[in-house]
Amino acid sequence: MNSNFLHTLTAYHLKFSYMKRNNPLREELIGKISSDAKPSITITELLDELIKLTDTRQYGLLINGGKVVLLDKIEDIYNLDINKKRIFIIPKAGKTNIPIQMVNLRDSNKIYNFGADWASTYPHNIFLYEVNNEYYLVCHRNGGSGCKTVLCSALNQILKQKGIKVEMNWMPPTVQESTSNYDIDKITLIYEENKSSDIADEPAKRQKKVQIKELTLSLKTGKFSKIDDLLHSYRAKEISKEETFRKIKNEVNDEQYNNASLVVKIGKAKKKVAWDDVESLIDGFDITDKVSGLKGQQFIDELKECSDNFLLTLLEGE
């Protein structure tokens, strides 16, 4: 795993309920809907259906918002205690409708181009828990975006046929546990372009980004207090990520910037965080020190222990 990235965990409480609007089985389920009865479906039954859709190549049901999620199997199921069970899965997610170029890093002559009807998918570590007949989900993120949203969408595609839906309610960690307990030292605004000025010249290749210019602002000098205030408002979820970036560009009077990065201080360590990954700072629980540098099964074992401790601590605090 890349030790330069921030490793975080984010927990959600899964809430299953019968659909009250646009329920395809409304007449059949009207009694259960009216009484707010709890659906009897189990999380393993739901995962088995997701595995079946992956196995039978029914990708149309697994795509949402330009992303696809696939699940080959349940990695393992472990009983933590009486009425406490962990289910470990590694779904693969990736963007759709984007041409892909695969290169062999050991053989420069091996380059493969794939059209927009292909998708490059990457693994994500997800832990599902059944605790006293309630379900929880813990997502691991390693510097990039996770797959929680597209996974939730795929599960709801399956559940809709049964007149059921699932909602994922974020479980905030305490201030002491959260990566939200951090300071922002600097922000670097970046303007980048595709390497090729004419994408039509190489339609089968995924365009590389080239950095044209950057502007680094130190937020500890007091000269950029308005930008510091904007970032604090974003951290408090008072404004959206998109609005924050737009207003920061207004403050420097340059609309051309289209990306950014932050230098943040968490404890004694300083880390560089891409703007695309900044959500993990807002919602996540930092486990970087515990898993950074570990590989293979040793990494997975430590990750499982971190996830177990994180969720059980959250539940004890409720």
Side-chain angles (χ1 to χ4, degrees):
M1 304 300 291
N2 194 324
S3 59
N4 295 322
F5 288 144
L6 191 71
H7 290 264
T8 60
L9 298 176
T10 311
Y12 301 87
H13 188 184
L14 304 185
K15 292 280 190 177
F16 291 89
S17 62
Y18 287 103
M19 299 169 60
K20 294 185 177 180
R21 294 183 180 180
N22 303 318
N23 193 319
L25 304 178
R26 183 172 182 81
E27 292 185 7
E28 179 183 336
L29 299 172
I30 189 63
K32 294 180 178 179
I33 295 172
S34 301
S35 64
D36 285 327
K38 186 176 180 179
S40 59
I41 191 167
T42 68
I43 196 69
T44 49
E45 290 172 344
L46 189 53
L47 293 176
D48 285 341
E49 294 201 40
L50 184 61
I51 292 169
K52 183 177 179 180
L53 289 176
T54 300
D55 187 53
T56 55
R57 310 292 196 269
Q58 297 185 57
Y59 300 140
L61 292 172
L62 305 176
I63 294 176
N64 179 265
K67 291 185 177 181
V68 63
V69 62
L70 310 173
L71 183 63
D72 296 319
K73 63 179 181 177
I74 294 174
E75 299 296 321
D76 63 52
I77 299 176
Y78 180 74
N79 291 315
L80 299 170
D81 201 347
I82 299 174
N83 297 325
K84 293 178 183 177
K85 179 168 62 178
R86 183 224 300 137
I87 303 166
F88 176 40
I89 60 174
I90 307 179
K92 290 173 287 188
K95 295 181 180 180
T96 60
N97 299 318
I98 298 176
I100 302 164
Q101 183 181 72
M102 303 294 290
V103 298
N104 189 310
L105 300 180
R106 296 182 178 179
D107 187 342
S108 60
N109 293 318
K110 292 183 178 180
I111 300 177
Y112 306 96
N113 294 316
F114 299 88
D117 53 340
W118 287 77
S120 179
T121 59
Y122 301 90
H124 299 266
N125 298 303
I126 300 285
F127 302 96
L128 293 146
Y129 294 85
E130 183 178 353
V131 180
N132 298 323
N133 298 317
E134 293 286 334
Y135 291 109
Y136 304 89
L137 180 146
V138 175
C139 295
H140 166 245
R141 293 176 64 156
N142 175 219
S145 60
C147 71
K148 181 266 300 181
T149 301
V150 67
L151 176 63
C152 182
S153 174
L155 296 180
N156 273 314
Q157 289 268 37
I158 297 169
L159 289 169
K160 185 176 182 179
Q161 303 169 31
K162 309 175 190 297
I164 302 171
K165 67 176 181 177
V166 62
E167 296 175 298
M168 296 188 180
N169 299 319
W170 176 51
M171 300 172 66
T174 65
V175 173
Q176 290 76 21
E177 296 170 332
S178 174
T179 53
S180 61
N181 187 26
Y182 64 88
D183 290 322
I184 303 176
D185 277 3
K186 299 176 183 178
I187 180 171
T188 298
L189 299 174
I190 301 166
Y191 172 60
E192 55 189 11
E193 293 181 347
N194 288 325
K195 186 175 182 180
S196 172
S197 60
D198 186 359
I199 296 177
D201 289 341
E202 299 174 289
K205 296 184 179 180
R206 186 171 182 174
Q207 300 300 304
K208 292 184 178 180
K209 296 287 187 179
V210 176
Q211 189 168 305
I212 304 300
K213 67 177 181 179
E214 69 175 34
L215 174 66
T216 299
L217 308 175
S218 175
L219 302 181
K220 297 302 180 183
T221 63
K223 295 180 180 179
F224 308 103
S225 58
K226 289 186 178 180
I227 292 177
D228 199 24
D229 289 343
L230 285 170
L231 291 168
H232 275 89
S233 295
Y234 170 57
R235 290 170 62 178
K237 300 192 175 183
E238 295 171 354
I239 59 176
S240 69
K241 179 180 176 181
E242 293 74 21
E243 185 180 2
T244 302
F245 192 58
R246 179 177 60 79
K247 289 186 174 182
I248 289 174
K249 291 193 293 183
N250 287 342
E251 287 298 321
V252 299
N253 197 28
D254 193 336
E255 290 291 324
Q256 195 174 29
Y257 292 111
N258 54 15
N259 204 349
S261 65
L262 302 176
V263 174
V264 301
K265 186 176 181 181
I266 304 174
K268 296 181 180 179
K270 287 189 177 182
K271 298 184 181 295
K272 185 176 181 180
V273 180
W275 184 252
D276 284 345
D277 306 329
V278 74
E279 289 94 341
S280 63
L281 288 171
I282 305 299
D283 297 339
F285 169 52
D286 184 16
I287 59 168
T288 308
D289 290 343
K290 294 187 177 182
V291 302
S292 182
L294 300 181
K295 297 181 180 180
Q297 192 58 45
Q298 188 179 14
F299 170 79
I300 293 297
D301 290 343
E302 185 64 32
L303 188 61
K304 288 178 179 178
E305 183 174 348
C306 288
S307 179
D308 294 346
N309 292 336
F310 174 48
L311 180 71
L312 296 177
T313 299
L314 288 177
L315 294 179
E316 288 173 1
E318 289 188 341

